[in-house]
PDB file of all heavy atoms in Angstrom:
ATOM      1  N   GLN A  28      39.460 -98.659-147.387  1.00 60.00           N
ATOM      2  CA  GLN A  28      40.303 -99.636-146.856  1.00 60.00           C
ATOM      3  C   GLN A  28      41.808 -99.098-146.919  1.00 60.00           C
ATOM      4  O   GLN A  28      42.595 -99.288-146.163  1.00 60.00           O
ATOM      5  CB  GLN A  28      40.161-100.876-147.597  1.00 60.00           C
ATOM      6  CG  GLN A  28      38.956-101.709-147.003  1.00 60.00           C
ATOM      7  CD  GLN A  28      38.757-102.929-147.664  1.00 60.00           C
ATOM      8  OE1 GLN A  28      38.907-103.108-148.971  1.00 60.00           O
ATOM      9  NE2 GLN A  28      38.350-103.973-147.072  1.00 60.00           N
ATOM     10  N   ASP A  29      42.236 -98.605-148.271  1.00 61.00           N
ATOM     11  CA  ASP A  29      43.578 -98.191-148.457  1.00 61.00           C
ATOM     12  C   ASP A  29      43.919 -97.072-147.522  1.00 61.00           C
ATOM     13  O   ASP A  29      45.023 -96.958-147.042  1.00 61.00           O
ATOM     14  CB  ASP A  29      43.791 -97.801-149.953  1.00 61.00           C
ATOM     15  CG  ASP A  29      43.631 -98.888-150.933  1.00 61.00           C
ATOM     16  OD1 ASP A  29      43.732-100.088-150.320  1.00 61.00           O
ATOM     17  OD2 ASP A  29      43.474 -98.672-152.089  1.00 61.00           O
ATOM     18  N   ASP A  30      42.957 -96.048-147.322  1.00 59.00           N
ATOM     19  CA  ASP A  30      43.325 -95.016-146.412  1.00 59.00           C
ATOM     20  C   ASP A  30      43.439 -95.350-144.924  1.00 59.00           C
ATOM     21  O   ASP A  30      44.086 -94.740-144.211  1.00 59.00           O
ATOM     22  CB  ASP A  30      42.193 -93.923-146.515  1.00 59.00           C
ATOM     23  CG  ASP A  30      42.235 -93.247-147.872  1.00 59.00           C
ATOM     24  OD1 ASP A  30      43.233 -93.304-148.546  1.00 59.00           O
ATOM     25  OD2 ASP A  30      41.175 -92.548-148.120  1.00 59.00           O
ATOM     26  N   MET A  31      42.732 -96.425-144.654  1.00 59.00           N
ATOM     27  CA  MET A  31      42.766 -96.891-143.176  1.00 59.00           C
ATOM     28  C   MET A  31      44.116 -97.634-142.865  1.00 59.00           C
ATOM     29  O   MET A  31      44.417 -97.961-141.677  1.00 59.00           O
ATOM     30  CB  MET A  31      41.656 -97.852-142.905  1.00 59.00           C
ATOM     31  CG  MET A  31      40.330 -97.131-142.983  1.00 59.00           C
ATOM     32  SD  MET A  31      40.244 -95.582-142.104  1.00 59.00           S
ATOM     33  CE  MET A  31      40.601 -96.022-140.473  1.00 59.00           C
ATOM     34  N   GLY A  32      45.032 -97.747-143.803  1.00 57.00           N
ATOM     35  CA  GLY A  32      46.324 -98.265-143.448  1.00 57.00           C
ATOM     36  C   GLY A  32      47.133 -97.349-142.540  1.00 57.00           C
ATOM     37  O   GLY A  32      48.106 -97.658-141.878  1.00 57.00           O
ATOM     38  N   ILE A  33      46.536 -96.145-142.223  1.00 64.00           N
ATOM     39  CA  ILE A  33      47.225 -95.237-141.436  1.00 64.00           C
ATOM     40  C   ILE A  33      47.170 -95.772-140.001  1.00 64.00           C
ATOM     41  O   ILE A  33      48.038 -95.241-139.192  1.00 64.00           O
ATOM     42  CB  ILE A  33      46.434 -93.866-141.391  1.00 64.00           C
ATOM     43  CG1 ILE A  33      47.229 -92.803-140.751  1.00 64.00           C
ATOM     44  CG2 ILE A  33      45.035 -93.916-140.873  1.00 64.00           C
ATOM     45  CD1 ILE A  33      46.649 -91.327-140.945  1.00 64.00           C
ATOM     46  N   ASN A  34      46.339 -96.614-139.575  1.00 64.00           N
ATOM     47  CA  ASN A  34      46.283 -97.184-138.259  1.00 64.00           C
ATOM     48  C   ASN A  34      47.576 -97.865-137.889  1.00 64.00           C
ATOM     49  O   ASN A  34      47.998 -97.616-136.811  1.00 64.00           O
ATOM     50  CB  ASN A  34      45.176 -98.297-138.192  1.00 64.00           C
ATOM     51  CG  ASN A  34      44.995 -98.543-136.747  1.00 64.00           C
ATOM     52  OD1 ASN A  34      44.858 -97.705-135.877  1.00 64.00           O
ATOM     53  ND2 ASN A  34      44.844 -99.934-136.428  1.00 64.00           N
ATOM     54  N   VAL A  35      48.303 -98.416-138.804  1.00 61.00           N
ATOM     55  CA  VAL A  35      49.526 -99.011-138.396  1.00 61.00           C
ATOM     56  C   VAL A  35      50.541 -97.951-138.153  1.00 61.00           C
ATOM     57  O   VAL A  35      51.279 -97.936-137.087  1.00 61.00           O
ATOM     58  CB  VAL A  35      50.200 -99.814-139.629  1.00 61.00           C
ATOM     59  CG1 VAL A  35      51.600-100.297-139.504  1.00 61.00           C
ATOM     60  CG2 VAL A  35      49.318-101.015-140.057  1.00 61.00           C
ATOM     61  N   SER A  36      50.439 -96.801-138.721  1.00 68.00           N
ATOM     62  CA  SER A  36      51.391 -95.607-138.448  1.00 68.00           C
ATOM     63  C   SER A  36      51.009 -95.017-137.233  1.00 68.00           C
ATOM     64  O   SER A  36      51.918 -94.685-136.352  1.00 68.00           O
ATOM     65  CB  SER A  36      51.295 -94.571-139.629  1.00 68.00           C
ATOM     66  OG  SER A  36      51.792 -95.114-140.846  1.00 68.00           O
ATOM     67  N   LEU A  37      49.758 -94.892-136.957  1.00 74.00           N
ATOM     68  CA  LEU A  37      49.225 -94.260-135.649  1.00 74.00           C
ATOM     69  C   LEU A  37      49.620 -95.212-134.438  1.00 74.00           C
ATOM     70  O   LEU A  37      50.204 -94.619-133.551  1.00 74.00           O
ATOM     71  CB  LEU A  37      47.717 -94.196-135.653  1.00 74.00           C
ATOM     72  CG  LEU A  37      47.183 -93.130-136.598  1.00 74.00           C
ATOM     73  CD1 LEU A  37      45.609 -93.195-136.599  1.00 74.00           C
ATOM     74  CD2 LEU A  37      47.720 -91.785-136.173  1.00 74.00           C
ATOM     75  N   THR A  38      49.636 -96.422-134.553  1.00 70.00           N
ATOM     76  CA  THR A  38      50.006 -97.388-133.547  1.00 70.00           C
ATOM     77  C   THR A  38      51.464 -97.242-133.232  1.00 70.00           C
ATOM     78  O   THR A  38      51.893 -97.234-132.182  1.00 70.00           O
ATOM     79  CB  THR A  38      49.585 -98.784-133.819  1.00 70.00           C
ATOM     80  OG1 THR A  38      48.189 -98.751-133.995  1.00 70.00           O
ATOM     81  CG2 THR A  38      50.046 -99.846-132.822  1.00 70.00           C
TER      82      THR A  38
END
Side-chain angles (χ1 to χ4, degrees):
Q28 282 178 320
D29 291 345
D30 288 343
M31 292 315 299
I33 193 171
N34 190 47
V35 173
S36 298
L37 290 173
T38 300

